[in-house]
Amino acid sequence: MVLGGITDGLSRGVESAMSGVSEALFEPVIRLGVTGLSRAGKTVFITSLVANLLDRGRMPQFGAAPRIEAAFLQPQPDDTLPRFDYETHLAALTGATPHWPDSTRAISELRLSLRVQPSGFFGGLIGGLTGPRTFHLDIIDYPGEWLLDLALLDKTYADWSESTLARVAQRSEAADFMARARAEDAGLKLDEPCAQALAASFTTYLQAARAAGWSDCTPGRFLLPGDLAGSPVLTFAPLPKPNQTPRGSLWREMDRRFEAYKARVVRPFFRDHFARIDRQVVLMDVLGAIHAGPTALEDMRRTMAEILGAFRPGQNRFLSTLLLGKRVDKILFAATKADHLHHSQHPRLTAITEALLREARDRAAFAGAETRAMSLAALRATIEETRDHGGETLDLVRGTLLGTGKQAAMFAGLLPEDPNHLLGPARKGEARWLDADYSIMSFAPARLTLRPGDGPPHIRLDRAADFLLTDRLG
Ligand SMILES: Nc1nc2c(ncn2[C@@H]2O[C@H](COP(=O)(O)OP(=O)(O)OP(=O)(O)O)[C@@H](O)[C@H]2O)c(=O)[nH]1
Ligand SMILES: [Mg+2]
Protein backbone atom coordinates (compact mmCIF):
# COMPACT_ATOMS: atom_id res chain seq x y z
CA MET A 1 0.00 0.00 0.00
CA VAL A 2 2.53 2.48 1.20
CA LEU A 3 5.09 1.51 -1.42
CA GLY A 4 2.50 1.62 -4.15
CA GLY A 5 1.53 5.05 -2.99
CA ILE A 6 5.10 6.25 -3.13
CA THR A 7 5.93 4.85 -6.56
CA ASP A 8 2.67 6.13 -7.87
CA GLY A 9 3.52 9.56 -6.54
CA LEU A 10 7.02 9.34 -8.03
CA SER A 11 6.01 8.32 -11.50
CA ARG A 12 3.32 10.93 -11.55
CA GLY A 13 5.88 13.52 -10.51
CA VAL A 14 8.11 12.55 -13.43
CA GLU A 15 5.18 12.54 -15.80
CA SER A 16 3.98 15.98 -14.81
CA ALA A 17 7.52 17.36 -14.95
CA MET A 18 7.83 15.95 -18.46
CA SER A 19 4.56 17.38 -19.64
CA GLY A 20 5.57 20.71 -18.11
CA VAL A 21 8.80 20.64 -20.10
CA SER A 22 7.19 19.68 -23.37
CA GLU A 23 4.53 22.34 -22.93
CA ALA A 24 7.02 25.03 -22.13
CA LEU A 25 9.28 24.13 -25.05
CA PHE A 26 6.92 23.24 -27.81
CA GLU A 27 3.40 24.24 -26.98
CA PRO A 28 3.26 27.62 -25.32
CA VAL A 29 0.31 28.40 -23.11
CA ILE A 30 -1.32 31.80 -22.88
CA ARG A 31 -3.54 32.20 -19.85
CA LEU A 32 -6.11 34.87 -20.58
CA GLY A 33 -8.14 36.14 -17.62
CA VAL A 34 -11.57 37.61 -18.35
CA THR A 35 -13.14 39.54 -15.52
CA GLY A 36 -15.62 42.29 -14.78
CA LEU A 37 -18.33 43.05 -12.29
CA SER A 38 -21.49 41.01 -12.37
CA ARG A 39 -23.44 41.39 -15.64
CA ALA A 40 -20.49 43.15 -17.30
CA GLY A 41 -20.67 40.72 -20.21
CA LYS A 42 -18.00 38.10 -19.43
CA THR A 43 -19.92 35.02 -20.53
CA VAL A 44 -21.08 36.57 -23.80
CA PHE A 45 -17.56 37.89 -24.45
CA ILE A 46 -15.85 34.53 -23.99
CA THR A 47 -18.49 32.64 -25.96
CA SER A 48 -18.33 34.99 -28.91
CA LEU A 49 -14.54 35.29 -28.77
CA VAL A 50 -14.13 31.52 -28.90
CA ALA A 51 -16.73 31.15 -31.67
CA ASN A 52 -14.97 33.86 -33.67
CA LEU A 53 -11.56 32.26 -33.10
CA LEU A 54 -12.92 28.93 -34.30
CA ASP A 55 -14.54 30.58 -37.36
CA ARG A 56 -12.50 33.62 -38.24
CA GLY A 57 -14.54 35.07 -41.13
CA ARG A 58 -15.44 38.15 -39.12
CA MET A 59 -11.99 38.80 -37.67
CA PRO A 60 -10.31 40.99 -40.31
CA GLN A 61 -8.42 43.09 -37.75
CA PHE A 62 -7.00 40.10 -35.91
CA GLY A 63 -3.47 40.14 -37.35
CA ALA A 64 -2.60 36.53 -36.58
CA ALA A 65 -5.78 35.14 -38.17
CA PRO A 66 -4.32 34.42 -41.63
CA ARG A 67 -1.59 32.30 -40.02
CA ILE A 68 -3.99 30.15 -38.01
CA GLU A 69 -4.32 26.78 -39.71
CA ALA A 70 -6.66 25.20 -37.22
CA ALA A 71 -8.44 26.03 -33.99
CA PHE A 72 -10.02 23.45 -31.75
CA LEU A 73 -11.29 23.00 -28.21
CA GLN A 74 -9.37 20.67 -25.93
CA PRO A 75 -9.72 19.35 -22.41
CA GLN A 76 -8.56 22.09 -20.04
CA PRO A 77 -5.42 21.66 -17.92
CA ASP A 78 -7.01 22.23 -14.48
CA ASP A 79 -9.02 19.21 -13.43
CA THR A 80 -10.72 20.82 -10.47
CA LEU A 81 -12.06 23.97 -12.16
CA PRO A 82 -15.51 23.94 -13.70
CA ARG A 83 -15.30 24.00 -17.49
CA PHE A 84 -16.67 27.14 -19.17
CA ASP A 85 -19.89 25.82 -20.66
CA TYR A 86 -19.19 27.07 -24.16
CA GLU A 87 -21.62 24.84 -26.04
CA THR A 88 -24.62 25.74 -23.85
CA HIS A 89 -23.85 29.46 -23.96
CA LEU A 90 -23.35 29.38 -27.72
CA ALA A 91 -26.59 27.47 -28.20
CA ALA A 92 -28.40 30.14 -26.16
CA LEU A 93 -26.98 32.96 -28.28
CA THR A 94 -27.26 31.38 -31.70
CA GLY A 95 -30.19 28.96 -31.40
CA ALA A 96 -33.57 29.23 -33.12
CA THR A 97 -34.91 31.42 -30.30
CA PRO A 98 -31.80 33.31 -29.27
CA HIS A 99 -31.52 34.42 -25.67
CA TRP A 100 -28.82 35.68 -23.36
CA PRO A 101 -27.00 33.02 -21.35
CA ASP A 102 -27.71 32.56 -17.65
CA SER A 103 -25.69 34.42 -15.09
CA THR A 104 -22.65 32.43 -14.01
CA ARG A 105 -20.77 34.29 -11.27
CA ALA A 106 -18.19 31.65 -10.57
CA ILE A 107 -14.80 30.78 -11.94
CA SER A 108 -14.55 28.56 -15.01
CA GLU A 109 -12.00 27.69 -17.64
CA LEU A 110 -11.80 26.71 -21.30
CA ARG A 111 -8.83 25.63 -23.44
CA LEU A 112 -8.74 26.56 -27.10
CA SER A 113 -5.76 25.34 -29.07
CA LEU A 114 -4.50 27.11 -32.16
CA ARG A 115 -2.18 25.67 -34.81
CA VAL A 116 -0.29 28.65 -36.13
CA GLN A 117 2.25 29.21 -38.90
CA PRO A 118 5.24 31.19 -37.63
CA SER A 119 5.27 34.87 -38.53
CA GLY A 120 7.70 37.00 -40.52
CA PHE A 121 10.76 36.12 -42.57
CA PHE A 122 12.63 34.22 -39.88
CA GLY A 123 9.42 32.67 -38.75
CA GLY A 124 8.85 31.54 -42.30
CA LEU A 125 12.36 30.14 -42.42
CA ILE A 126 11.97 28.30 -39.14
CA GLY A 127 8.46 27.41 -40.04
CA GLY A 128 9.76 25.81 -43.22
CA LEU A 129 11.84 23.56 -41.01
CA THR A 130 9.56 22.97 -38.08
CA GLY A 131 6.10 23.61 -39.46
CA PRO A 132 3.28 25.23 -37.53
CA ARG A 133 3.25 25.44 -33.74
CA THR A 134 0.44 24.74 -31.38
CA PHE A 135 -0.50 27.38 -28.84
CA HIS A 136 -2.92 26.75 -26.02
CA LEU A 137 -5.17 29.59 -25.04
CA ASP A 138 -6.56 28.97 -21.56
CA ILE A 139 -9.40 31.37 -20.89
CA ILE A 140 -10.33 31.91 -17.25
CA ASP A 141 -13.64 33.58 -16.46
CA TYR A 142 -13.78 34.90 -12.90
CA PRO A 143 -15.93 37.50 -11.10
CA GLY A 144 -14.35 40.93 -10.68
CA GLU A 145 -15.83 41.00 -7.19
CA TRP A 146 -13.26 38.41 -6.20
CA LEU A 147 -10.49 40.91 -6.93
CA LEU A 148 -12.08 43.32 -4.47
CA ASP A 149 -11.40 40.76 -1.81
CA LEU A 150 -7.68 41.41 -2.20
CA ALA A 151 -8.16 44.60 -0.19
CA LEU A 152 -9.47 42.49 2.70
CA LEU A 153 -6.05 40.88 3.14
CA ASP A 154 -4.59 44.11 4.47
CA LYS A 155 -7.49 44.76 6.81
CA THR A 156 -8.22 43.54 10.28
CA TYR A 157 -11.77 42.61 11.12
CA ALA A 158 -12.04 45.85 13.11
CA ASP A 159 -10.86 48.01 10.16
CA TRP A 160 -13.12 46.22 7.75
CA SER A 161 -16.14 46.50 10.04
CA GLU A 162 -15.62 50.19 10.58
CA SER A 163 -15.15 51.11 6.91
CA THR A 164 -17.97 48.87 5.68
CA LEU A 165 -20.49 50.17 8.20
CA ALA A 166 -19.54 53.76 7.40
CA ARG A 167 -19.98 53.16 3.67
CA VAL A 168 -23.30 51.35 3.74
CA ALA A 169 -24.98 53.20 6.60
CA GLN A 170 -26.77 55.64 4.31
CA ARG A 171 -27.93 53.11 1.76
CA SER A 172 -31.59 52.22 1.95
CA GLU A 173 -30.79 48.60 0.99
CA ALA A 174 -28.79 48.30 4.23
CA ALA A 175 -31.49 49.63 6.57
CA ASP A 176 -32.46 46.25 8.00
CA PHE A 177 -28.90 45.07 8.40
CA MET A 178 -27.78 48.35 9.99
CA ALA A 179 -30.58 48.16 12.53
CA ARG A 180 -29.51 44.65 13.52
CA ALA A 181 -25.81 45.50 13.61
CA ARG A 182 -26.40 48.56 15.79
CA ALA A 183 -28.59 46.62 18.19
CA GLU A 184 -25.95 43.93 18.65
CA ASP A 185 -23.55 43.91 21.57
CA ALA A 186 -20.66 41.96 20.07
CA GLY A 187 -18.99 41.81 23.47
CA LEU A 188 -21.53 39.21 24.59
CA LYS A 189 -21.03 35.49 24.28
CA LEU A 190 -21.39 34.06 20.78
CA ASP A 191 -24.86 32.78 19.97
CA GLU A 192 -24.71 30.86 16.68
CA PRO A 193 -28.26 31.56 15.46
CA CYS A 194 -27.59 35.23 16.08
CA ALA A 195 -24.34 35.09 14.05
CA GLN A 196 -26.20 33.33 11.27
CA ALA A 197 -29.01 35.88 11.29
CA LEU A 198 -26.47 38.71 11.05
CA ALA A 199 -24.65 37.04 8.16
CA ALA A 200 -27.95 36.33 6.40
CA SER A 201 -29.06 39.92 6.79
CA PHE A 202 -25.72 41.18 5.51
CA THR A 203 -25.96 38.83 2.51
CA THR A 204 -29.48 40.08 1.78
CA TYR A 205 -28.11 43.61 1.85
CA LEU A 206 -25.30 42.67 -0.58
CA GLN A 207 -27.80 41.10 -2.97
CA ALA A 208 -30.08 44.13 -2.83
CA ALA A 209 -27.10 46.45 -3.27
CA ARG A 210 -25.97 44.60 -6.33
CA ALA A 211 -29.48 44.62 -7.78
CA ALA A 212 -29.62 48.37 -7.16
CA GLY A 213 -26.44 48.81 -9.19
CA TRP A 214 -23.83 49.24 -6.44
CA SER A 215 -20.49 47.81 -7.47
CA ASP A 216 -18.73 47.43 -4.12
CA CYS A 217 -20.44 44.24 -3.04
CA THR A 218 -17.83 42.38 -0.98
CA PRO A 219 -16.88 39.89 0.40
CA GLY A 220 -17.23 38.48 -3.09
CA ARG A 221 -18.13 34.93 -2.07
CA PHE A 222 -21.19 36.05 -0.11
CA LEU A 223 -22.95 36.55 -3.43
CA LEU A 224 -21.90 33.25 -4.88
CA PRO A 225 -21.22 30.84 -2.05
CA GLY A 226 -21.23 27.61 -4.07
CA ASP A 227 -20.29 24.75 -1.78
CA LEU A 228 -19.21 27.16 0.96
CA ALA A 229 -22.83 28.13 1.62
CA GLY A 230 -23.64 27.95 5.31
CA SER A 231 -20.05 27.31 6.36
CA PRO A 232 -18.43 29.44 9.06
CA VAL A 233 -16.14 31.22 6.57
CA LEU A 234 -19.26 32.86 5.17
CA THR A 235 -21.04 33.35 8.48
CA PHE A 236 -19.74 36.72 9.55
CA ALA A 237 -20.77 40.35 9.16
CA PRO A 238 -19.36 43.78 10.04
CA LEU A 239 -20.24 44.96 13.54
CA PRO A 240 -19.61 48.03 15.69
CA LYS A 241 -16.70 47.26 17.98
CA PRO A 242 -17.74 46.85 21.63
CA ASN A 243 -15.56 48.14 24.47
CA GLN A 244 -14.77 44.67 25.74
CA THR A 245 -14.10 41.70 23.46
CA PRO A 246 -13.64 38.78 25.84
CA ARG A 247 -12.78 35.29 24.68
CA GLY A 248 -15.84 33.48 23.34
CA SER A 249 -17.59 36.72 22.45
CA LEU A 250 -19.44 37.27 19.19
CA TRP A 251 -16.78 39.80 18.18
CA ARG A 252 -13.90 37.34 18.67
CA GLU A 253 -15.66 34.65 16.68
CA MET A 254 -16.55 37.03 13.84
CA ASP A 255 -12.91 38.15 13.81
CA ARG A 256 -11.75 34.54 13.57
CA ARG A 257 -14.14 33.78 10.69
CA PHE A 258 -13.09 36.91 8.83
CA GLU A 259 -9.49 35.72 9.09
CA ALA A 260 -10.55 32.24 7.92
CA TYR A 261 -12.27 33.78 4.88
CA LYS A 262 -9.01 35.50 4.00
CA ALA A 263 -6.89 32.39 4.50
CA ARG A 264 -9.20 29.77 3.03
CA VAL A 265 -11.06 31.64 0.31
CA VAL A 266 -9.21 34.77 -0.78
CA ARG A 267 -5.59 33.62 -0.69
CA PRO A 268 -6.19 30.33 -2.57
CA PHE A 269 -7.94 32.15 -5.41
CA PHE A 270 -5.01 34.53 -5.87
CA ARG A 271 -2.44 31.78 -5.50
CA ASP A 272 -4.05 29.13 -7.70
CA HIS A 273 -5.66 31.24 -10.40
CA PHE A 274 -4.89 34.92 -10.43
CA ALA A 275 -1.12 34.52 -10.11
CA ARG A 276 -1.00 32.36 -13.23
CA ILE A 277 -2.68 34.82 -15.60
CA ASP A 278 -0.60 36.29 -18.46
CA ARG A 279 -3.08 38.62 -20.09
CA GLN A 280 -6.21 40.19 -18.76
CA VAL A 281 -9.47 41.55 -20.12
CA VAL A 282 -11.48 43.77 -17.77
CA LEU A 283 -15.04 44.25 -19.02
CA MET A 284 -17.16 47.17 -17.88
CA ASP A 285 -20.79 47.99 -18.55
CA VAL A 286 -20.06 51.71 -18.74
CA LEU A 287 -23.24 52.46 -20.68
CA GLY A 288 -25.31 50.67 -18.05
CA ALA A 289 -23.72 52.78 -15.32
CA ILE A 290 -24.30 56.02 -17.25
CA HIS A 291 -27.89 54.98 -17.73
CA ALA A 292 -28.26 54.25 -14.00
CA GLY A 293 -27.06 57.77 -13.14
CA PRO A 294 -24.18 59.73 -11.59
CA THR A 295 -23.96 57.75 -8.35
CA ALA A 296 -23.71 54.46 -10.22
CA LEU A 297 -21.00 55.87 -12.46
CA GLU A 298 -19.03 57.18 -9.49
CA ASP A 299 -19.45 53.87 -7.73
CA MET A 300 -18.14 52.08 -10.81
CA ARG A 301 -15.15 54.41 -10.96
CA ARG A 302 -14.29 53.80 -7.33
CA THR A 303 -14.81 50.07 -7.55
CA MET A 304 -12.72 49.74 -10.69
CA ALA A 305 -9.90 51.64 -9.00
CA GLU A 306 -10.07 49.13 -6.18
CA ILE A 307 -10.22 46.14 -8.52
CA LEU A 308 -7.25 47.37 -10.47
CA GLY A 309 -5.23 47.43 -7.29
CA ALA A 310 -4.75 43.72 -7.90
CA PHE A 311 -2.71 44.54 -11.00
CA ARG A 312 -0.30 46.68 -9.01
CA PRO A 313 1.30 43.91 -7.00
CA GLY A 314 3.83 46.26 -5.40
CA GLN A 315 0.98 47.63 -3.31
CA ASN A 316 0.29 44.35 -1.61
CA ARG A 317 2.86 42.28 0.24
CA PHE A 318 1.02 39.00 -0.10
CA LEU A 319 0.63 39.44 -3.85
CA SER A 320 4.20 40.57 -4.53
CA THR A 321 5.56 37.54 -2.69
CA LEU A 322 3.21 35.33 -4.63
CA LEU A 323 4.02 36.71 -8.05
CA LEU A 324 7.80 36.99 -7.58
CA GLY A 325 8.12 39.53 -10.35
CA LYS A 326 5.81 37.75 -12.79
CA ARG A 327 3.10 40.05 -14.00
CA VAL A 328 0.24 40.44 -16.40
CA ASP A 329 1.87 42.20 -19.36
CA LYS A 330 -1.22 43.39 -21.22
CA ILE A 331 -4.57 44.54 -19.90
CA LEU A 332 -7.52 45.40 -22.09
CA PHE A 333 -10.28 47.56 -20.60
CA ALA A 334 -13.39 47.14 -22.64
CA ALA A 335 -16.69 49.00 -22.43
CA THR A 336 -19.17 46.30 -23.41
CA LYS A 337 -22.57 46.36 -25.13
CA ALA A 338 -21.46 49.15 -27.49
CA ASP A 339 -24.10 47.96 -29.96
CA HIS A 340 -26.55 50.11 -27.94
CA LEU A 341 -24.83 53.12 -29.51
CA HIS A 342 -24.35 54.23 -33.08
CA HIS A 343 -20.69 53.79 -34.03
CA SER A 344 -20.24 57.56 -34.35
CA GLN A 345 -20.40 57.67 -30.54
CA HIS A 346 -18.00 54.83 -29.81
CA PRO A 347 -14.91 57.06 -29.53
CA ARG A 348 -16.73 59.03 -26.82
CA LEU A 349 -17.60 55.87 -24.94
CA THR A 350 -13.95 54.82 -25.12
CA ALA A 351 -12.84 58.25 -23.89
CA ILE A 352 -15.21 58.00 -20.93
CA THR A 353 -13.89 54.52 -20.13
CA GLU A 354 -10.33 55.84 -20.25
CA ALA A 355 -11.21 58.78 -18.03
CA LEU A 356 -12.95 56.47 -15.56
CA LEU A 357 -9.74 54.53 -15.18
CA ARG A 358 -7.35 57.43 -15.38
CA GLU A 359 -6.68 57.84 -11.71
CA ALA A 360 -6.05 54.15 -11.16
CA ARG A 361 -3.86 53.99 -14.23
CA ASP A 362 -1.83 57.07 -13.39
CA ARG A 363 -1.13 55.91 -9.90
CA ALA A 364 1.01 53.03 -10.98
CA ALA A 365 0.83 52.61 -14.73
CA PHE A 366 0.20 48.98 -13.81
CA ALA A 367 3.82 48.21 -13.12
CA GLY A 368 4.70 48.40 -16.77
CA ALA A 369 1.79 46.46 -18.25
CA GLU A 370 0.60 47.69 -21.61
CA THR A 371 -3.02 48.80 -21.36
CA ARG A 372 -5.66 49.74 -23.89
CA ALA A 373 -9.26 50.92 -23.64
CA MET A 374 -11.84 49.96 -26.22
CA SER A 375 -15.59 49.94 -26.83
CA LEU A 376 -16.93 46.67 -28.11
CA ALA A 377 -19.94 44.43 -28.42
CA ALA A 378 -19.19 40.76 -28.09
CA LEU A 379 -22.51 39.95 -29.71
CA ARG A 380 -24.05 42.60 -31.85
CA ALA A 381 -27.81 42.62 -31.23
CA THR A 382 -28.65 45.76 -33.23
CA ILE A 383 -28.30 47.34 -36.63
CA GLU A 384 -27.70 51.03 -37.25
CA GLU A 385 -30.23 53.36 -38.75
CA THR A 386 -30.22 57.06 -39.56
CA ARG A 387 -33.50 58.90 -39.41
CA ASP A 388 -34.65 62.34 -40.30
CA HIS A 389 -36.06 64.04 -37.23
CA GLY A 390 -37.49 67.53 -37.78
CA GLY A 391 -34.83 68.39 -40.34
CA GLU A 392 -32.00 66.88 -38.25
CA THR A 393 -30.53 63.49 -38.80
CA LEU A 394 -30.60 61.15 -35.85
CA ASP A 395 -28.27 58.16 -35.60
CA LEU A 396 -30.12 55.25 -34.04
CA VAL A 397 -29.77 51.55 -33.41
CA ARG A 398 -32.57 49.09 -34.02
CA GLY A 399 -33.14 45.69 -32.48
CA THR A 400 -35.62 43.22 -31.02
CA LEU A 401 -36.85 44.20 -27.58
CA LEU A 402 -36.16 41.67 -24.87
CA GLY A 403 -39.56 41.70 -23.18
CA THR A 404 -42.00 41.98 -26.06
CA GLY A 405 -40.05 40.64 -29.02
CA LYS A 406 -41.05 43.76 -30.95
CA GLN A 407 -38.67 45.71 -33.15
CA ALA A 408 -37.66 49.11 -31.80
CA ALA A 409 -35.22 51.87 -32.68
CA MET A 410 -33.40 53.66 -29.90
CA PHE A 411 -31.39 56.79 -29.41
CA ALA A 412 -29.39 56.26 -26.24
CA GLY A 413 -28.59 59.96 -25.81
CA LEU A 414 -25.60 61.91 -27.01
CA LEU A 415 -22.50 61.18 -24.95
CA PRO A 416 -20.46 64.31 -24.22
CA GLU A 417 -17.19 64.82 -26.02
CA ASP A 418 -15.53 65.77 -22.75
CA PRO A 419 -15.80 62.83 -20.31
CA ASN A 420 -15.67 65.28 -17.40
CA HIS A 421 -19.19 66.38 -18.21
CA LEU A 422 -20.20 63.00 -16.85
CA LEU A 423 -17.46 62.25 -14.36
CA GLY A 424 -17.63 65.71 -12.73
CA PRO A 425 -21.29 65.49 -11.65
CA ALA A 426 -20.72 61.85 -10.71
CA ARG A 427 -17.89 62.81 -8.38
CA LYS A 428 -19.99 65.57 -6.85
CA GLY A 429 -22.69 63.05 -6.05
CA GLU A 430 -25.43 64.65 -8.16
CA ALA A 431 -28.68 62.74 -8.09
CA ARG A 432 -29.25 62.79 -11.86
CA TRP A 433 -27.78 64.04 -15.10
CA LEU A 434 -28.88 67.62 -15.58
CA ASP A 435 -28.64 68.29 -19.27
CA ALA A 436 -29.01 64.89 -20.82
CA ASP A 437 -31.08 61.78 -20.70
CA TYR A 438 -29.43 58.43 -21.32
CA SER A 439 -31.85 55.69 -22.02
CA ILE A 440 -31.14 52.07 -22.67
CA MET A 441 -33.44 49.44 -24.04
CA SER A 442 -32.74 45.79 -23.49
CA PHE A 443 -32.40 44.01 -26.78
CA ALA A 444 -32.52 40.29 -27.34
CA PRO A 445 -29.80 38.65 -29.41
CA ALA A 446 -30.76 38.73 -33.08
CA ARG A 447 -31.64 35.57 -34.95
CA LEU A 448 -28.64 34.58 -36.98
CA THR A 449 -27.95 32.77 -40.19
CA LEU A 450 -24.22 32.37 -40.23
CA ARG A 451 -22.27 31.72 -43.42
CA PRO A 452 -19.79 28.88 -43.13
CA GLY A 453 -16.55 30.25 -41.73
CA ASP A 454 -18.22 33.19 -39.98
CA GLY A 455 -18.56 33.54 -36.23
CA PRO A 456 -21.39 35.53 -34.58
CA PRO A 457 -21.53 39.28 -35.38
CA HIS A 458 -19.64 41.56 -33.02
CA ILE A 459 -18.06 44.98 -32.78
CA ARG A 460 -14.26 45.13 -32.42
CA LEU A 461 -13.77 41.67 -31.03
CA ASP A 462 -11.13 41.22 -33.72
CA ARG A 463 -9.21 44.25 -32.46
CA ALA A 464 -9.46 42.95 -28.93
CA ALA A 465 -8.05 39.57 -30.01
CA ASP A 466 -5.32 41.35 -31.93
CA PHE A 467 -4.21 43.37 -28.91
CA LEU A 468 -4.33 40.36 -26.61
CA LEU A 469 -2.93 37.57 -28.76
CA THR A 470 -1.16 38.46 -31.99
CA ASP A 471 2.27 39.23 -30.50
CA ARG A 472 2.23 35.98 -28.55
CA LEU A 473 1.33 33.80 -31.51
CA GLY A 474 4.74 34.39 -33.12
N1 LIG B 1 -26.65 44.23 -26.63
C1 LIG B 1 -25.72 43.52 -26.00
N2 LIG B 1 -25.95 43.07 -24.77
C2 LIG B 1 -24.97 42.35 -24.16
C3 LIG B 1 -23.73 42.05 -24.80
N3 LIG B 1 -22.99 41.34 -23.94
C4 LIG B 1 -23.73 41.18 -22.82
N4 LIG B 1 -24.94 41.77 -22.96
C5 LIG B 1 -26.02 41.88 -21.95
O1 LIG B 1 -25.44 41.80 -20.66
C6 LIG B 1 -25.98 40.71 -19.94
C7 LIG B 1 -24.90 40.07 -19.10
O2 LIG B 1 -23.96 39.42 -19.93
P1 LIG B 1 -23.12 38.17 -19.40
O3 LIG B 1 -22.12 37.84 -20.45
O4 LIG B 1 -24.00 37.11 -18.90
O5 LIG B 1 -22.39 38.90 -18.18
P2 LIG B 1 -21.49 38.23 -17.04
O6 LIG B 1 -20.43 39.25 -16.75
O7 LIG B 1 -21.05 36.87 -17.44
O8 LIG B 1 -22.54 38.18 -15.86
P3 LIG B 1 -22.50 37.26 -14.56
O9 LIG B 1 -22.22 35.86 -15.00
O10 LIG B 1 -23.83 37.46 -13.95
O11 LIG B 1 -21.42 37.85 -13.72
C8 LIG B 1 -26.55 39.78 -21.01
O12 LIG B 1 -27.57 39.00 -20.46
C9 LIG B 1 -27.03 40.77 -22.03
O13 LIG B 1 -28.28 41.28 -21.68
C10 LIG B 1 -23.52 42.55 -26.12
O14 LIG B 1 -22.45 42.37 -26.75
N5 LIG B 1 -24.54 43.28 -26.67
MG1 LIG C 1 -21.14 35.08 -16.58
Side-chain angles (χ1 to χ4, degrees):
M1 271 291 279
V2 174
L3 255 185
I6 290 174
T7 40
D8 184 39
L10 272 179
S11 61
R12 218 172 335 152
V14 171
E15 214 173 86
S16 63
M18 291 296 287
S19 69
V21 168
S22 74
E23 271 198 354
L25 282 182
F26 305 113
E27 301 195 339
V29 177
I30 308 166
R31 289 181 70 87
L32 174 66
V34 178
T35 197
L37 297 169
S38 103
R39 313 311 288 152
K42 301 178 288 295
T43 304
V44 177
F45 177 86
I46 296 174
T47 308
S48 186
L49 178 68
V50 169
N52 278 290
L53 288 173
L54 290 169
D55 288 305
R56 295 171 298 283
R58 287 191 215 256
M59 299 291 270
Q61 302 290 332
F62 175 31
R67 295 190 284 111
I68 298 179
E69 291 193 340
F72 44 96
L73 291 172
Q74 292 232 70
Q76 68 196 46
D78 299 284
D79 290 330
T80 53
L81 270 189
R83 180 177 183 273
F84 179 86
D85 196 357
Y86 170 71
E87 292 76 9
T88 305
H89 300 319
L90 185 71
L93 293 173
T94 60
T97 46
H99 54 274
W100 298 109
D102 291 339
S103 175
T104 43
R105 296 208 198 104
I107 189 164
S108 63
E109 178 180 50
L110 188 71
R111 169 167 281 196
L112 175 76
S113 299
L114 301 166
R115 203 156 61 237
V116 186
Q117 281 288 352
S119 63
F121 175 72
F122 289 108
L125 213 60
I126 297 166
L129 299 172
T130 62
R133 275 176 107 185
T134 299
F135 291 81
H136 302 294
L137 177 63
D138 291 344
I139 304 177
I140 298 108
D141 170 5
Y142 66 93
E145 285 82 359
W146 293 9
L147 293 180
L148 291 176
D149 281 352
L150 182 65
L152 299 183
L153 295 180
D154 289 335
K155 288 190 177 142
T156 62
Y157 173 63
D159 297 339
W160 175 75
S161 283
E162 197 183 319
S163 58
T164 307
L165 292 175
R167 205 175 55 232
V168 311
Q170 301 308 320
R171 298 184 186 171
S172 58
E173 298 82 12
D176 175 66
F177 169 71
M178 285 305 297
R180 269 174 196 273
R182 286 198 184 108
E184 204 57 59
D185 179 353
L188 298 180
K189 192 170 176 313
L190 164 76
D191 170 48
E192 189 57 38
C194 155
Q196 284 174 8
L198 281 163
S201 170
F202 186 57
T203 309
T204 308
Y205 152 69
L206 288 174
Q207 280 158 348
R210 189 189 52 204
W214 293 102
S215 302
D216 55 353
C217 303
T218 59
R221 227 53 68 92
F222 276 55
L223 291 173
L224 190 105
D227 53 8
L228 295 175
S231 67
V233 283
L234 296 191
T235 315
F236 66 90
L239 290 174
K241 189 167 186 187
N243 293 329
Q244 304 285 327
T245 58
R247 194 176 296 181
S249 63
L250 176 64
W251 177 272
R252 286 269 195 119
E253 183 58 17
M254 288 279 179
D255 187 347
R256 197 192 63 73
R257 292 177 189 187
F258 177 77
E259 291 302 326
Y261 181 82
K262 284 161 47 177
R264 307 292 291 276
V265 177
V266 184
R267 285 202 178 89
F269 162 69
F270 280 94
R271 186 186 63 221
D272 301 339
H273 306 300
F274 184 77
R276 295 165 62 212
I277 287 170
D278 303 308
R279 302 236 153 143
Q280 181 66 51
V281 183
V282 181
L283 301 175
M284 299 160 67
D285 184 5
V286 179
L287 273 179
I290 294 174
H291 170 63
T295 20
L297 191 65
E298 173 61 8
D299 177 53
M300 173 177 269
R301 188 192 65 77
R302 221 187 27 233
T303 310
M304 292 314 294
E306 226 180 285
I307 283 188
L308 298 179
F311 297 99
R312 288 182 273 123
Q315 305 288 100
N316 185 289
R317 206 156 19 97
F318 160 72
L319 208 54
S320 4
T321 323
L322 193 67
L323 293 171
L324 292 172
K326 175 187 179 321
R327 61 177 162 76
V328 169
D329 60 356
K330 279 193 173 190
I331 309 175
L332 173 68
F333 299 105
T336 51
K337 314 179 196 179
D339 55 333
H340 285 99
L341 279 185
H342 191 269
H343 75 270
S344 54
Q345 290 206 56
H346 290 180
R348 295 184 178 192
L349 180 60
T350 307
I352 293 165
T353 309
E354 264 171 347
L356 259 181
L357 300 166
R358 178 140 314 137
E359 191 188 324
R361 272 168 105 177
D362 286 354
R363 236 184 292 154
F366 295 112
E370 189 185 341
T371 61
R372 169 101 40 104
M374 224 179 253
S375 301
L376 54 80
L379 189 87
R380 182 179 198 149
T382 63
I383 48 171
E384 296 190 340
E385 190 173 299
T386 300
R387 273 199 206 165
D388 196 37
H389 185 74
E392 275 184 75
T393 54
L394 210 50
D395 290 328
L396 309 170
V397 295
R398 161 185 289 283
T400 310
L401 284 182
L402 203 53
T404 60
K406 292 213 173 84
Q407 283 277 312
M410 169 183 88
F411 179 67
L414 195 61
L415 294 177
E417 197 161 356
D418 179 356
N420 284 323
H421 290 177
L422 291 182
L423 297 185
R427 226 175 248 268
K428 284 200 217 106
E430 311 262 345
R432 72 182 80 85
W433 307 119
L434 286 183
D435 44 5
D437 186 16
Y438 300 103
S439 54
I440 285 213
M441 289 172 167
S442 291
F443 293 113
R447 237 181 117 163
L448 302 173
T449 25
L450 298 181
R451 280 178 313 183
D454 273 3
H458 62 80
I459 299 172
R460 277 182 219 101
L461 211 50
D462 50 348
R463 284 181 196 270
D466 191 59
F467 173 73
L468 293 166
L469 301 177
T470 295
D471 64 315
R472 288 289 287 271
L473 299 176

